[in-house]
């Protein structure tokens, strides 16, 4: 009666057994399962009492007890269990049988020796734990007793026949009684006839090694045939299957022999696995060195091991171990093995957190390797969590970080929202192109702007592109001038016919006499392209609408990134590497219009800051070796326009004159791209910033010119032809190598200094004459002057 009201314990079991992919493992049936509450995968070993004999039921209960009480990293992990009158359930970590694992690996080309060496290492270590630490004999070692987890690590199971070497109160039947086929795995000697307690287990270990490399063992005599057993393992294998039980080594001794120099288990994979097992007790310096070496070895490691063993350790090392940037390279290598969903769950949260790090090494590594994870970042995370941290790199004092930040915009631009792309990013690009003291960074900014132009809205393209590329064509760095020309050519579809004729072609024509031949060649090609466009419209005005259809086109989405113009041959990656590593001598052109005027032969050349800068650019090797960073005051760099949009058409020059308190002032529109305007409103076509207030001698009120202003002539000093604001041919060149020279051969700065010195001496002489005329003062007299 009471049994009628009793609840079935199976219904209260916290795990659900899945019917598919069931495997037979001895007297047990191995099934896949999952936890009902969380869906966590597990493996469930099921034994049905009604289908087994009394001896098998005895073995199943013994295995249930041993699995529950024995804990070791290399022994099958017990999670939960249930014992009823009808069934026994053992829940473990998700595993598969070794035979099924090797069969799957054979379909992929076979298991590598590295994987097998680490697997055998784990099984031997587990056997050593049972024999030497627990004083137990396994008595059932074989392919059926070894299981493989998701990381590809081998686990020792099959604890049905485990007995104590000191004698049990209850004796268990030997394996061959339950399954006669297992008799071929028994050692040749009779039980108890000589040898140590582990002789039977190490003999079966030899049989396991033979089967791993050669397949199922047909008979005991086949052990004499080595087959595919590796040469490094042969001498140690022969010791295991020796006919004399007294010479068979202890499992711990066998492990040491295989780990000796030149041994089968002495390799980088086993070393890495052992380090990961003990990583929690390693010193920080050892961890750093390990992660540095790990990235070189990951390519040879099994994929499952990288995903389930290495990746968790990398994430833990970053989260809690302060490993820093050194984990990034192996982290991204392992990330290649993950699905998109797994990448989002495991790696993206860590990457987002890394971007907020103040560690420069971390930031530059992230920027350099952004291409590997950008496709997994969603737009919301990019705009709210990543971009606000990345933009700090534009103002970093380290040129390498500024350069990598510019390059990263090629990948981030398709995911940026309207505000970040068209306002924040353009403001930083304008300042970099106008103020950065590194030529390659100015060049990269121009190149990057041309590449992300399709993502800008139509209004921003109209206001930015022509001004930015025109400024680049006046850059002292020849590669920047070439980038400006290429920018015009690559974005030609965004300019109206009127803009092409009135603004772009006049700018390009001045580059046809550029000192650098590459710039001239690119200028001629671009001019031909624009002229062809104008000729087409001139011959057939009906094609005007078709020619200008992209001028007001909306911004492209990220999916069309790879479809636009192909000037990337000289893009950021290739062009920058050439500029940074191998800039040719003389690549720095004069920062003027484009008719070179030779320097006067007579007269000393002033050695000031500007000339030093030119010389450094001529011998340019890398960004770090250029001019020292931070020449401009931090106040001038940080001061931004209150309305960024007004800066695009405003005066983009800045004043370094001294105000009343001796501090430099900067124009609120310094950050914008636009034309350089003189005080009287005439267009001063010069890339070099023009000082706002200069005396007739050319020197500012402070009495000297800054390094960026020395040698600059006022726009009013040039001869202008009519109201159109074009200079005559003779006076088109207002700047020669950053120095303006007077007819005497002296620079204007030196001439002003010389005049000041003469004036000072003249005043001192007059003062001395007045003192001599009055004579010495009498005692008590009052000095009136």
């Amino acid at each position: 009666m009471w049994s009628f009201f009793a609840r079935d314990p199976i219904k209260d079991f916290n795990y659900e057994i899945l019917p598919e992919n069931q495997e037979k493992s001895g007297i047990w049936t191995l099934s896949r399962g999952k936890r009902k509450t969380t869906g966590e995968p597990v493996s469930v070993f099921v034994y049905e009492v009604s289908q087994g004999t009394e001896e098998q039921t005895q073995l199943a209960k013994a295995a249930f007890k041993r699995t529950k009480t024995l804990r070791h990293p290399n022994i099958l992990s017990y999670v939960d269990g249930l014992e009823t009158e009808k069934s026994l359930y053992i829940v473990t970590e998700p595993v598969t049988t070794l035979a099924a694992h090797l069969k799957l690996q054979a379909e992929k080309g076979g298991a590598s020796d590295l994987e097998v060496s680490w697997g055998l290492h784990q099984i031997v270590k587990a056997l050593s734990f049972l024999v030497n630490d627990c004083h137990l004999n396994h008595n059932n070692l074989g392919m059926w007793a070894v299981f493989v987890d998701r990381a590809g690590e081998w686990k020792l199971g099959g604890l049905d026949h485990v007995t104590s070497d000191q004698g049990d109160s209850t004796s268990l039947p030997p394996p061959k009684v339950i399954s006669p086929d297992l008799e071929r795995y028994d050692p040749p000697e009779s039980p108890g006839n000589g040898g140590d307690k582990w002789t039977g287990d190490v003999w079966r270990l030899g049989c396991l090694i033979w089967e791993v490399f050669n397949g199922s063992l047909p008979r005991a005599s086949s052990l004499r045939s080595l087959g595919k057993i590796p040469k490094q393992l042969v001498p140690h294998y022969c010791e295991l299957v020796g006919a004399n039980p007294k010479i068979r080594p202890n499992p711990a001794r066998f492990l040491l022999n295989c780990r000796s120099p030149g041994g089968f288990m002495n390799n980088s994979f086993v070393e890495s696995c052992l380090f990961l097992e003990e990583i929690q007790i390693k010193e920080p310096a050892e961890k750093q060195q390990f992660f540095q070496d790990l990235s070189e070895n990951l390519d040879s490691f099994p994929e499952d091991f990288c995903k389930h063993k290495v990746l968790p350790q990398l994430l833990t090392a970053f989260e809690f171990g302060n490993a820093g940037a050194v984990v990034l390279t192996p982290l991204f290598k392992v990330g290649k093995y993950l699905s998109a969903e797994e990448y989002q769950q495991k790696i993206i949260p860590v990457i987002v957190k890394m971007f907020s790090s103040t560690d420069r090494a971390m930031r530059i590594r992230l920027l350099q390797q952004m291409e590997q994870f950008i496709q997994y970042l969603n737009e919301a995370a990019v705009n709210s969590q990543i971009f606000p941290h990345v933009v700090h790199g534009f103002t970093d004092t380290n040129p390498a970080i500024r350069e990598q930040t510019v390059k990263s915009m090629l990948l981030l631009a398709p995911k940026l929202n309207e505000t970040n792309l068209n306002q924040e990013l353009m403001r930083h690009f304008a300042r970099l192109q106008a103020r950065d003291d590194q030529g390659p960074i100015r060049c990269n900014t121009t190149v990057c702007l041309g590449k992300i132009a399709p993502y800008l809205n139509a209004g921003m393209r109209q206001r930015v592109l022509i001004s930015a590329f025109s400024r680049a064509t006046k850059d002292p760095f020849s590669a920047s001038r070439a980038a400006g020309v290429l920018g015009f050519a690559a974005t030609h579809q965004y300019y109206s016919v009127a803009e092409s004729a009135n603004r772009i072609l006049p700018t390009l024509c001045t580059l046809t006499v550029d000192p650098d031949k590459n710039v001239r060649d690119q200028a001629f090609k671009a001019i031909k392209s624009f002229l062809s466009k104008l000729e087409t419209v001139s011959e057939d005005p009906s094609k005007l609408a078709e020619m200008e259809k992209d001028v007001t086109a909306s911004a492209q989405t990220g999916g069309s990134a790879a479809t636009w113009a192909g000037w990337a041959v000289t893009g950021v990656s290739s062009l920058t590497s050439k500029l940074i590593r191998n800039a040719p001598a003389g690549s720095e052109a004069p920062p003027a219009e484009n008719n070179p005027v030779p320097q006067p032969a007579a007269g000393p050349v002033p050695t000031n800051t500007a000339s030093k800068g030119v010389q450094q650019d001529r011998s340019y090797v890398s960004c770090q070796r250029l001019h020292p960073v931070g020449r401009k005051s931090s106040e001038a760099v940080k001061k931004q326009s209150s309305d960024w949009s007004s800066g695009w058409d405003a005066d983009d020059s800045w004043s370094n004159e001294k105000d009343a308190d001796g501090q430099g002032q900067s124009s609120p529109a310094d950050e914008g791209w636009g034309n350089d305007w003189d005080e009287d409103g005439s267009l001063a076509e010069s890339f070099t910033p023009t000082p706002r207030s200069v005396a007739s001698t050319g020197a500012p009120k402070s009495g000297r010119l800054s390094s960026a202003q020395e040698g600059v002539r006022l726009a009013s000093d040039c001869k202008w032809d009519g109201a159109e604001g074009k200079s005559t041919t003779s006076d088109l060149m207002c700047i020669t190598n950053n120095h303006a020279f007077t007819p005497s051969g002296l620079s204007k700065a030196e001439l002003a200094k010389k005049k000041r010195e003469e004036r000072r001496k003249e005043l001192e002489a007059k003062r001395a004459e007045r003192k001599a005329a009055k004579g010495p003062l009498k005692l008590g007299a009052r000095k009136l002057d």
Side-chain angles (χ1 to χ4, degrees), residues 126-438:
L127 186 62
S128 176
F129 168 74
L130 291 177
V131 171
N132 299 312
D133 298 331
C134 301
H135 304 287
L136 298 173
N137 294 327
H138 190 276
N139 298 320
N140 190 33
L141 185 59
M143 291 280 286
W144 57 89
V146 179
F147 302 89
V148 183
D149 66 6
R150 292 180 296 179
E153 297 196 299
W154 295 10
K155 305 284 185 176
L156 180 61
L159 305 180
D160 309 14
H161 299 272
V162 172
T163 58
S164 173
D165 60 5
Q166 299 173 355
D168 279 340
S169 56
T170 57
S171 59
L172 298 175
K176 61 183 179 181
V177 174
I178 305 302
S179 180
D181 292 341
L182 301 182
E183 186 175 2
R184 63 180 180 270
Y185 297 101
D186 288 340
E189 69 275 5
S190 301
N193 289 343
D196 295 298
K197 56 187 178 181
W198 59 75
T199 55
D201 282 336
V202 295
W203 171 275
R204 295 183 181 89
L205 175 63
C207 298
L208 172 65
I209 293 175
W210 195 95
E211 289 192 324
V212 167
F213 290 101
N214 300 308
S216 179
L217 180 66
R219 63 189 68 86
S221 60
S222 300
L223 294 173
R224 299 191 186 95
S225 175
L226 299 177
K228 298 179 182 178
I229 298 177
K231 292 182 179 180
Q232 306 100 308
L233 190 57
V234 167
H236 310 301
Y237 160 78
C238 292
E239 291 180 352
L240 298 178
V241 294
N244 184 0
K246 295 183 179 180
I247 65 172
R248 295 175 196 160
N250 184 285
R253 180 64 184 173
F254 172 79
L255 199 61
L256 289 176
N257 293 339
C258 292
R259 294 275 296 126
S260 61
F264 180 66
M265 299 179 186
N266 184 18
N267 54 63
S268 61
F269 184 52
V270 174
E271 294 289 345
S272 299
C273 295
L274 292 175
F275 190 95
L276 287 173
E277 287 187 347
E278 303 173 352
I279 194 170
Q280 304 300 335
I281 60 175
K282 296 294 185 179
E283 295 294 330
E286 295 178 308
K287 294 180 183 179
Q288 291 280 333
Q289 186 62 42
F290 170 75
F291 287 125
Q292 288 179 358
D293 299 336
L294 180 62
S295 59
E296 301 176 2
N297 301 322
L298 279 178
D299 294 334
S300 61
F301 288 1
E303 178 178 328
D304 291 335
F305 180 83
C306 294
K307 290 170 56 177
H308 301 289
K309 185 72 174 181
V310 177
L311 179 59
Q313 293 293 346
L314 291 173
L315 299 178
T316 302
F318 171 76
E319 191 77 19
F320 306 106
N322 298 322
V326 72
V327 304
L328 286 178
T329 301
L331 180 65
F332 292 138
K333 274 195 172 183
V334 175
K336 296 178 181 178
Y337 301 129
L338 302 180
S339 64
E341 183 180 356
E342 290 175 328
Y343 206 102
Q344 286 285 346
Q345 293 176 352
K346 297 180 179 180
I347 296 185
I348 291 301
V350 177
I351 290 177
V352 171
K353 186 175 181 180
M354 286 178 177
F355 271 105
S356 61
S357 172
T358 56
D359 182 7
R360 278 181 166 173
M362 174 78 73
R363 289 161 55 193
I364 199 167
R365 289 276 186 89
L366 282 171
L367 296 174
Q368 288 171 341
Q369 304 186 43
M370 186 178 291
E371 189 175 359
Q372 301 186 32
F373 59 83
I374 186 64
Q375 66 269 26
Y376 301 107
L377 296 175
N378 57 58
E379 294 184 5
V382 169
N383 286 282
S384 62
Q385 297 176 281
I386 293 179
F387 184 75
H389 296 294
V390 172
V391 293
H392 294 312
F394 289 123
T395 56
D396 198 284
T397 56
N398 189 333
I401 293 182
R402 297 201 304 275
E403 181 189 19
Q404 289 298 331
T405 304
V406 171
K407 291 181 180 181
S408 68
M409 292 303 110
L410 292 174
L411 302 171
L412 288 178
K415 296 179 180 289
L416 295 180
N417 58 27
E418 177 79 10
T419 302
N420 286 337
L421 177 62
N422 293 283
Q423 298 181 20
E424 185 72 12
L425 181 57
M426 292 300 101
R427 180 169 60 85
H428 287 290
F429 271 20
R431 184 173 39 88
L432 283 177
Q433 195 189 43
R435 293 188 169 192
D436 201 287
D437 57 358
Q438 309 292 332

Side-chain angles (χ1 to χ4, degrees), residues 399-686:
I401 293 182
R402 297 201 304 275
E403 181 189 19
Q404 289 298 331
T405 304
V406 171
K407 291 181 180 181
S408 68
M409 292 303 110
L410 292 174
L411 302 171
L412 288 178
K415 296 179 180 289
L416 295 180
N417 58 27
E418 177 79 10
T419 302
N420 286 337
L421 177 62
N422 293 283
Q423 298 181 20
E424 185 72 12
L425 181 57
M426 292 300 101
R427 180 169 60 85
H428 287 290
F429 271 20
R431 184 173 39 88
L432 283 177
Q433 195 189 43
R435 293 188 169 192
D436 201 287
D437 57 358
Q438 309 292 332
I441 294 180
R442 299 194 302 271
C443 174
N444 283 340
T445 303
T446 304
V447 173
C448 186
L449 178 63
K451 283 180 163 291
I452 68 174
Y455 306 115
L456 301 176
N457 61 42
M460 185 57 61
R461 286 199 298 259
Q462 293 297 311
R463 299 164 65 184
V464 170
L465 295 184
I466 295 181
S467 297
F469 295 144
S470 296
R471 165 177 285 176
T473 60
K474 303 178 182 71
D475 195 289
F477 197 49
S478 61
S480 293
R481 300 197 297 278
V485 177
L486 291 171
F488 276 128
T491 58
H492 66 93
Q493 69 271 31
Y494 299 123
Y495 310 123
S496 65
V497 172
E499 288 175 328
S500 299
N502 298 330
R503 300 181 63 186
I504 299 176
L505 281 175
T507 302
L508 293 176
C509 287
T510 60
L511 296 177
T512 57
V513 290
D514 191 272
D516 188 275
K517 187 178 186 303
N518 180 53
V519 177
R520 297 196 300 272
D521 293 342
Q522 297 295 342
F524 281 118
K525 292 179 182 178
I527 290 172
K528 291 178 182 178
S529 174
F530 280 101
L531 285 177
S532 174
K533 181 177 179 180
L534 295 177
E535 289 176 0
T536 302
V537 175
S538 176
E539 294 175 0
D540 188 359
S542 62
K543 294 184 178 181
L544 178 63
E546 181 182 354
M547 288 289 183
E548 296 183 351
K549 64 180 180 179
D550 292 331
V551 173
T552 57
S554 58
Q556 292 184 4
T557 59
S560 56
T563 62
W564 79 284
W567 65 300
V569 175
T570 55
V572 169
S573 58
S574 59
L575 178 61
T576 307
S577 60
K578 293 178 181 178
L579 297 177
I580 290 182
R581 294 181 176 85
N582 196 19
S587 61
E588 192 75 23
E593 289 306 289
N594 300 293
N595 274 349
V597 178
Q599 290 186 354
V605 177
T607 57
N608 51 23
T609 308
S611 63
K612 291 180 181 178
V614 173
Q615 293 301 323
Q616 288 177 353
D617 275 341
R618 291 179 186 274
S619 59
Y620 178 70
V621 176
S622 67
C623 281
Q624 291 83 344
R625 293 178 57 186
L626 273 173
H627 324 304
V629 178
R631 287 184 176 176
K632 302 178 182 64
S633 66
S634 59
E635 179 184 355
V637 173
K638 293 180 180 178
K639 190 168 183 179
Q640 307 293 344
S641 173
S642 57
D643 181 10
W644 69 270
S645 60
S646 64
W648 299 117
D649 298 319
D651 184 358
D652 62 355
S653 63
W654 63 91
S655 174
N656 286 327
E657 299 178 64
K658 302 292 181 180
D659 57 13
D661 59 356
Q663 299 296 325
Q665 295 178 340
S666 62
S667 169
D670 284 350
E671 315 302 344
W673 272 313
N675 298 320
D676 295 332
W677 295 91
D678 198 10
E679 293 176 351
D680 59 357
S682 59
L683 182 63
E685 298 203 0
S686 170

Side-chain angles (χ1 to χ4, degrees), residues 44-66:
V44 183
F45 290 82
V46 182
Y47 172 75
E48 299 290 346
V49 176
S50 59
Q51 298 179 4
T53 63
E54 184 177 349
E55 290 84 0
Q56 289 177 340
T57 302
Q58 182 184 4
L59 291 173
K61 292 182 178 181
F64 186 95
K65 176 183 176 182
R66 293 295 186 186

